[in-house]
Amino acid sequence: MSVSVNTTRRELLALIVAASAAANGQEITIPGKRPLIVHNDRPEDLETPASYFSSWITPNDAFFVRQHLPRPSVQEASHRVALDGRVGKQLQLSTADLRKLPQYTVAATLECTGNGRGFYRPAVPGVQWMRGAIGNAEWTGPRLSDVLKLAGADLNAAYVTTNGADTGVAKTPDFIRSMPMKKALHPATILALQMNHEPIPELHGFPVRLIVPGWDGTSWVKWVTNLTVANEPNTGFFMNPGYRFPKHAVAPGTPVNPADLEVIEGMPVKSLIASVSDQQRIPLAPARLRGIAWAGEQRIRQVEVSCDSGRTWNDAQLGREDLPFAWRLWEYQWTPPKEGYYTILSRATDSAGNIQPVVATWNPSGYLYNAIDQVGVIVEKGA
Ligand SMILES: Nc1nc2c(c(=O)[nH]1)N[C@H]1C(S)=C(S)[C@@H](COP(=O)(O)O)O[C@H]1N2
Ligand SMILES: [Mo]
């Protein structure tokens, strides 16, 4: 009896420790993952430390995780993707059916709409993501357009609505998203069965998830169960008022009337310094600074780096992998002139001429944070 009471107490203590670790955003390990920054452990909200962004592909076990609801456990053999609404014939597709269609591999960057929310001042409620709710992977599966054609879908309908196997719990409603038919028919929009050439891990939507290249992660529905063709978008919380952005900039901290919000479709230009972390000590020697840059549906045109708090800027060299929808690596050779503290900044420009701002546009839900990235380093002879 006393043993079980003690065990219970110990377990309770462990849970409290885990909960406070989660609350503090500390790095702890979740099965199938390297140590990641845990914002929530049930359901999992896991952030990738920026030091992992040194390779063009983010390995599956280092990839960030975001879910609003308890993760469903899906059995592949019985799993079906139902097609209904404005279709010629309703279908129930197994993953074997999806595999019979031509398979495409698309490299695409997945970024949470709320990545960087933790930087907004005044602070806004929600997961306090800092820099790592992003990753780049190769996704493989049939085109959504081929799946829609299989069901004789009305391709002139306005929207495709996607639901996943997770269901609403307590105050959180079911996660359902709609996208315009134009994006649904884009050849890079696929129903992925594989992530980096492996079956999609459970945390990332096994056995099938939607890939919407260039658009924010919210559209990338996991554990897909339903595709509905309609002339109206879904009206649930995650379409309205969720995941909307003010049409006009507002003073930080001001509430915004729902009528003044519009649907978010895509991510703005942004870059990140990955090879050094904030307050790191580095030796007084030539340094190769490295990072990533991405631009939603645009391409990266230029990345500039400043090692003197933004007084002077120089071009970084862009990496050789240069594909639409996938991030671009960059590199910058820097020789610190002497010992001391340096603020290093990175700033990207996209193919439409958009440049990262000094201050991101504050909004009540903390979406689309894309201010110039900044890291402070201490240069020391002995470091
Ligand atoms: N079914 C379902 N799909 C979902 C979500 C969800 O809660 N349920 N979260 C979305 C959000 S907000 C993001 S940022 C991405 C995160 O994908 P990841 O966990 O594979 O990194 O999944 C999206 N797809
Ligand atoms: Mo997200």
Side-chain angles (χ1 to χ4, degrees), residues 72-109:
S73 164
V74 177
Q75 302 306 311
E76 181 168 12
S78 55
H79 188 76
R80 296 290 180 273
V81 178
L83 279 104
D84 56 25
R86 300 181 67 85
V87 293
K89 50 178 184 293
Q90 297 195 356
L91 290 181
Q92 298 269 340
L93 300 175
S94 65
T95 56
D97 295 329
L98 294 172
R99 266 187 212 99
K100 282 184 207 136
L101 292 167
Q103 305 289 297
Y104 296 90
T105 296
V106 176
T109 296

Side-chain angles (χ1 to χ4, degrees), residues 307-364:
C307 296
D308 57 5
S309 307
R311 291 180 181 87
T312 60
W313 294 85
N314 286 296
D315 278 350
Q317 230 191 315
L318 298 179
R320 70 187 144 79
E321 286 96 353
D322 179 13
L323 290 170
F325 311 123
W327 70 28
R328 196 91 191 256
L329 296 177
W330 58 260
E331 210 175 276
Y332 180 73
Q333 191 72 33
W334 177 49
T335 305
K338 56 179 198 288
E339 289 187 307
Y341 185 80
Y342 294 86
T343 300
I344 300 172
L345 309 167
S346 74
R347 159 175 98 182
T349 304
D350 73 16
S351 45
N354 299 302
I355 186 165
Q356 279 185 264
V358 174
V359 179
T361 306
W362 188 93
N363 61 101

Side-chain angles (χ1 to χ4, degrees), residues 63 105-113 135-145 148 160-163 175-194 200 204 208-222 224 227 239 263-267 294-298 324-326:
F63 212 96
T105 296
V106 176
T109 296
L110 164 55
E111 183 181 19
C112 178
T113 326
N136 192 53
E138 287 184 323
W139 313 89
T140 305
R143 285 180 173 154
L144 180 57
S145 63
L148 293 172
V160 175
T161 293
T162 311
N163 195 0
F175 187 84
I176 303 174
R177 292 282 300 172
S178 297
M179 74 178 134
M181 183 61 80
K182 185 163 184 259
K183 189 65 178 173
L185 296 181
H186 191 288
T189 301
I190 63 172
L191 278 176
L193 300 159
Q194 292 189 326
I200 295 202
H204 296 289
V208 52
R209 88 170 298 170
L210 192 56
I211 304 305
V212 192
W215 283 26
D216 54 302
T218 309
S219 296
W220 299 43
V221 178
K222 306 198 266 192
V224 172
L227 295 166
M239 288 303 298
V263 177
I264 295 170
E265 299 182 340
M267 298 300 288
W294 62 100
E297 290 182 307
Q298 304 294 331
F325 311 123

Side-chain angles (χ1 to χ4, degrees), residues 14 25 60 69 79 104 133 153 193 224 228 235 239 256 262 271 291 357:
N60 291 354
L69 295 156
H79 188 76
Y104 296 90
L193 300 159
V224 172
T228 304
T235 54
M239 288 303 298
V256 178
E262 60 191 1
S271 66

